[in-house]
Amino acid sequence: MEEKKFDVKSIIGFVLIFGILLYIMYQNQPSPEELEAQKIAEQEQVEAEKNQSKQNETLVTSSSDYSANTQVLDSTQKVALQNKVGSFAYALTLPTVGDKFTTVETDVFELKFNTKGGHLAEVKLKNFVDYDSVPVYMVRDNNSAFNITFGTSDNRTLNTQDFPFQPSVTKSGENTIVSMKLKVSETAFLEYRYELKPNDYMIDFSIKSQGLSGVFNTSQPIELDWKQKSIRHSKSISYENRYTRLTYMYDDGKVDKLSQASDDDETVDDVEWLSYRQHFFSSILVANDSPFKKVAVTSLDLVEDEEIDTLFTKLYTSKMPLAFNGGELNQNLGLYYGPTDNATLKDYDKGLEESIPFGWGIFGWINKILFIPLFGFLSQHLPSYGIAIIVMTILVKIVLSFVQYKQFLSQAKMKILKPELDAVREKYKDNKLKAQQETMAIQSRAGASPLSGCLPGLMQIPVFYALFMFFPTAFELRQKGFLWADDLSSYDSVLDLPFHIPLYGDHVALFPILAAIAIFFYMKMTTGQQMATQPTQEGMPDMAKMMKYMIYFSPILMLVFFNNYASGLSLYYFISNLISIGIMLVIKNYIIDEDKVLAKIEVSKTKPKKQNKFQKKMAEMMEQAEQQKQVQQKGKKK
């Protein structure tokens, strides 16, 4: 070890520098006269600030600016406000004018209500954080606007967002009531009433008026306008944006949605609820009493590129008319701010869970009836969500193993018949139609058909697609880790790249690589055998060549496309293909005996074979085609 020594030159240098600093400070110290002048200047500055503060306290902004402190107005100013906004001038004389906030907390929320406009200025979900460990906010930094446009009896058109509301917070049992009132007088007002319940993401929200029947112009439409920009919460903004979508229920239970990939707009009748879905979190407006008669909805895509650090994914807007009842407003609504979780949304019994994209038709039913309950059960009884995915994959593959058996049995039969089929094609090489007829006859007598292998494969498609929709929307997987993946609902990056690769991204995810390798070997084993047994049909594409391309194309597609997808989905495909390889080896080496299959084929050939309607129709068509061909050949000879 090197011996440490004091550097004498360095010590001398530090002493000199310190001495120079002391000299400069001594030379620059103020004289007594300068100190006295500085003291006088400071006193003058304090007096000036006091005078300015007094002026600010008595300052009244003109009637065109609603954000000033206007409780001390003279008669002239009151008249000016009356001329500007009519009866609602009273609201501008109250102490709540301007952006002031009322904060309320529950078990799940931290809410801020802005007195200006009376609506929520901030919604924080206390039980969740985003990918960067920042609390999840549904509303923040003016990303949301809630406004009612209405006409008055003195021919004015006003907006609630321009006026101050008087706040009050009370308790009703365990519930917290937040009342925001836009006052015309102490007894006449428009009220937003929010009722917050413990451990509940649904806020009972009502819009009511009292004593305004003579103030509202009921012949003019009154319109509610709700806008919101969805805040980014996930690592991959393009992946999150893929599942961010405006959805609505209308016409007594029908569900539809705006485009997820581009700007879109629609006008819809009888809307029961509107969901501003942001992948794993949703803002939902529910019409509790009666549906909104006509709603104009728009969705604007704000994500240009994965490389751009965008704060918002989509801008949603909705405009809907409110109905007067005896000249007053009385609309009972619900406001949901919370997780896009099937179990949570289903508890409200309003069909809100239909806003989750489980897949259309049979695919959605498979998820709702089978995979959601099964995964919920497994995740509750197993030590991790990753193991729950593996166990569910094993169960699915066991159920579908009979399908693989049918496929391999069909391939085995075609392999045994190949020499005989090749001989037929060679014998009738100049008569392709006759060769096709004889080929079909041999396959029919032997009970072997290429379709017998395809049909079981088609049966797997609904299951695969249902799972493809299930994993990206499973809220339970959010921020649940497994092995090297810290979040099964997002990609499992093992290497961050210093550059961005188009379509691939700026990271390397490991589960898609493993899944791609497993798919390659599985397709190599299965497709290779299919190519060996599949004859090239006249006038048909070269299936052997297409299958050869698919062996390489499918893994590459998995590698690229799934690099930004949920790692839980890639884990499923990896395990699924490993199990498929294992099942295939077991069936091929221990279950299917080619000698027994051959014996069964020989027995089947001796039995009379009854053709079904499809086979009869095909045979008739081929006979007609053969006769037509013979007639054409005779005509040419003449």
Side-chain angles (χ1 to χ4, degrees):
M1 182 179 291
E2 184 180 358
E3 185 180 354
K4 293 183 178 179
K5 296 181 180 180
F6 289 107
D7 189 346
V8 178
K9 293 182 179 179
S10 297
I11 294 174
I12 295 172
F14 285 134
V15 171
L16 289 174
I17 292 172
F18 183 68
I20 292 170
L21 289 174
L22 286 176
Y23 177 76
I24 292 173
M25 290 171 64
Y26 175 78
Q27 286 295 106
N28 291 334
Q29 67 177 344
S31 64
E33 294 79 12
E34 290 175 331
L35 288 173
E36 183 64 23
Q38 183 178 350
K39 190 174 182 179
I40 295 172
E42 288 176 354
Q43 290 177 347
E44 291 176 350
Q45 178 67 24
V46 170
E47 291 297 325
E49 288 177 356
K50 286 182 179 180
N51 292 333
Q52 183 64 39
S53 178
K54 290 180 180 179
Q55 291 176 6
N56 289 339
E57 289 177 358
T58 58
L59 180 64
V60 177
T61 309
S62 66
S63 60
S64 61
D65 182 4
Y66 300 158
S67 61
N69 182 358
T70 57
Q71 54 264 54
V72 283
L73 298 178
D74 58 31
S75 58
T76 303
Q77 292 168 326
K78 288 181 179 179
V79 170
L81 281 178
Q82 187 77 25
N83 292 334
K84 185 73 177 179
V85 296
S87 302
F88 288 89
Y90 178 82
L92 299 174
T93 66
L94 301 175
T96 52
V97 177
D99 291 310
K100 297 181 181 180
F101 301 95
T102 299
T103 302
V104 177
E105 287 193 46
T106 70
D107 304 289
V108 297
F109 288 134
E110 185 175 305
L111 306 175
K112 285 186 179 180
F113 298 86
N114 194 343
T115 57
K116 186 176 181 181
H119 197 55
L120 284 160
E122 190 169 288
V123 177
K124 173 185 173 182
L125 303 183
K126 297 170 69 173
N127 299 327
F128 305 101
V129 294
D130 67 10
Y131 71 101
D132 208 20
S133 300
V134 175
V136 168
Y137 288 88
M138 304 296 293
V139 178
R140 192 183 191 186
D141 297 333
N142 299 316
N143 75 308
S144 180
F146 193 92
N147 177 58
I148 295 177
T149 301
F150 59 93
T152 63
S153 55
D154 50 4
N155 295 321
R156 291 180 173 86
T157 299
L158 302 177
N159 295 285
T160 57
Q161 65 185 8
D162 295 328
F163 289 93
F165 284 64
Q166 283 284 104
S168 66
V169 180
T170 56
K171 297 290 288 187
S172 176
E174 294 185 339
N175 297 351
T176 302
I177 310 264
V178 179
S179 172
M180 308 292 287
K181 292 180 179 179
L182 171 56
K183 294 184 175 181
V184 170
S185 68
E186 284 303 309
T187 58
F189 49 80
L190 173 66
E191 180 186 23
Y192 292 165
R193 186 179 186 274
Y194 305 85
E195 185 166 355
L196 316 173
K197 299 175 284 294
N199 287 305
D200 198 339
Y201 293 100
M202 182 70 76
I203 303 170
D204 288 341
F205 174 58
S206 61
I207 303 172
K208 296 181 179 181
S209 66
Q210 177 179 303
L212 299 185
S213 58
V215 177
F216 285 134
N217 180 0
T218 56
S219 64
Q220 181 177 332
I222 182 168
E223 188 175 69
L224 172 61
D225 185 3
W226 180 35
K227 297 186 178 80
Q228 186 164 304
K229 288 193 288 187
S230 295
I231 302 171
R232 174 186 181 176
H233 298 131
S234 298
K235 283 192 294 186
S236 173
I237 190 169
S238 59
Y239 177 68
E240 181 180 23
N241 198 38
R242 189 177 295 122
Y243 296 95
T244 296
R245 205 165 185 183
L246 191 155
T247 310
Y248 51 87
M249 179 176 280
Y250 70 107
D251 196 17
D252 198 21
K254 296 178 183 177
V255 177
D256 207 343
K257 51 193 76 69
L258 297 186
S259 173
Q260 68 182 58
S262 60
D263 300 345
D264 198 6
D265 62 86
E266 191 66 69
T267 300
V268 193
D269 296 330
D270 298 323
V271 175
E272 298 172 38
W273 51 255
L274 287 160
S275 172
Y276 291 175
R277 189 177 78 241
Q278 172 68 9
H279 197 183
F280 285 127
F281 298 96
S282 295
S283 304
I284 305 175
L285 180 65
V286 183
N288 285 329
D289 291 339
S290 58
F292 298 113
K293 290 300 180 184
K294 188 180 291 290
V295 182
V297 289
T298 68
S299 175
L300 180 65
D301 192 357
L302 303 178
V303 178
E304 297 181 10
D305 197 297
E306 180 74 28
E307 296 180 78
I308 301 174
D309 188 18
T310 310
L311 296 177
F312 305 101
T313 52
K314 286 187 172 70
L315 168 63
Y316 299 128
T317 72
S318 302
K319 291 185 178 181
M320 61 213 81
L322 301 178
F324 288 108
N325 185 3
E328 301 282 1
L329 283 176
N330 188 2
Q331 191 93 30
N332 292 311
L333 308 171
L335 277 172
Y336 176 89
Y337 293 101
T340 313
D341 175 51
N342 179 69
T344 304
L345 294 174
K346 199 170 184 178
D347 284 342
Y348 296 108
D349 197 26
K350 296 181 180 295
L352 302 181
E353 70 277 6
E354 297 296 328
S355 64
I356 304 174
F358 294 128
W360 55 272
I362 188 174
F363 311 114
W365 282 107
I366 291 173
N367 275 326
K368 294 172 189 175
I369 295 173
L370 178 60
F371 292 130
I372 292 173
L374 176 61
F375 187 75
F377 174 80
L378 293 174
S379 60
Q380 290 176 4
H381 294 86
L382 293 173
S384 78
Y385 283 86
I387 294 175
I389 291 174
I390 293 173
V391 172
M392 187 169 80
T393 307
I394 293 172
L395 294 175
V396 170
K397 296 307 293 184
I398 290 174
V399 172
L400 294 177
S401 60
F402 81 96
V403 175
Q404 282 192 281
Y405 173 76
K406 287 289 186 181
Q407 286 180 301
F408 291 129
L409 180 60
S410 173
Q411 291 176 10
K413 288 181 178 180
M414 294 299 295
K415 181 180 179 182
I416 293 169
L417 290 174
K418 189 174 188 301
E420 188 175 354
L421 295 176
D422 288 342
V424 167
R425 281 188 289 273
E426 179 64 26
K427 180 179 178 180
Y428 297 103
K429 60 182 179 181
D430 296 328
N431 191 338
K432 304 298 183 183
L433 194 58
K434 184 66 175 176
Q436 186 66 24
Q437 287 177 322
E438 290 297 319
T439 298
M440 291 179 64
I442 293 171
Q443 291 173 344
S444 179
R445 288 196 303 270
S449 170
L451 290 178
S452 63
C454 295
L455 293 177
L458 292 175
M459 293 173 60
Q460 300 181 73
I461 293 177
V463 174
F464 289 155
Y465 184 76
L467 287 167
F468 178 80
M469 297 301 295
F470 168 77
F471 284 106
T473 57
F475 186 83
E476 298 93 332
L477 294 179
R478 185 179 181 271
Q479 296 182 345
K480 300 300 189 301
F482 181 65
L483 298 178
W484 57 84
D486 56 5
D487 186 350
L488 287 168
S489 71
S490 186
Y491 56 79
D492 56 311
S493 176
V494 293
L495 177 64
D496 293 329
L497 303 175
F499 49 83
H500 186 277
I501 301 174
L503 300 179
Y504 186 72
D506 59 358
H507 63 274
V508 177
L510 184 52
F511 275 131
I513 295 175
L514 296 176
I517 293 171
I519 287 174
F520 173 78
F521 283 106
Y522 175 69
M523 295 192 69
K524 191 77 172 175
M525 296 169 72
T526 57
T527 310
Q529 185 171 338
Q530 289 177 6
M531 287 191 294
T533 60
Q534 186 70 32
T536 302
Q537 303 292 337
E538 183 70 20
M540 298 294 290
D542 189 345
M543 295 303 296
K545 186 178 290 187
M546 292 178 63
M547 289 178 181
K548 185 177 180 181
Y549 290 146
M550 286 301 296
I551 291 175
Y552 299 96
F553 179 72
S554 295
I556 292 173
L557 188 65
M558 164 63 73
L559 195 66
V560 173
F561 186 68
F562 282 79
N563 191 60
N564 290 297
Y565 253 72
S567 54
L569 183 61
S570 300
L571 171 62
Y572 164 77
Y573 281 125
F574 171 53
I575 300 299
S576 177
N577 282 282
L578 283 183
I579 297 172
S580 294
I581 291 172
I583 292 174
M584 183 186 69
L585 292 173
V586 170
I587 293 174
K588 184 177 180 181
N589 296 318
Y590 298 101
I591 297 178
I592 295 180
D593 188 330
E594 291 190 3
D595 293 333
K596 291 182 180 180
V597 173
L598 178 58
K600 287 183 179 180
I601 288 176
E602 294 301 329
V603 172
S604 181
K605 286 181 179 179
T606 61
K607 295 179 181 180
K609 205 72 174 176
K610 186 177 180 180
Q611 291 183 323
N612 56 38
K613 291 183 178 180
F614 176 75
Q615 290 172 326
K616 285 182 179 179
K617 189 67 175 176
M618 287 295 296
E620 290 174 1
M621 291 173 63
M622 294 178 76
E623 283 290 341
Q624 292 174 1
E626 178 66 18
Q627 292 174 4
Q628 187 176 3
K629 184 178 179 181
Q630 291 177 359
V631 170
Q632 290 175 350
Q633 289 177 347
K634 288 180 180 179
K636 288 180 180 179
K637 289 180 180 179
K638 292 179 180 181

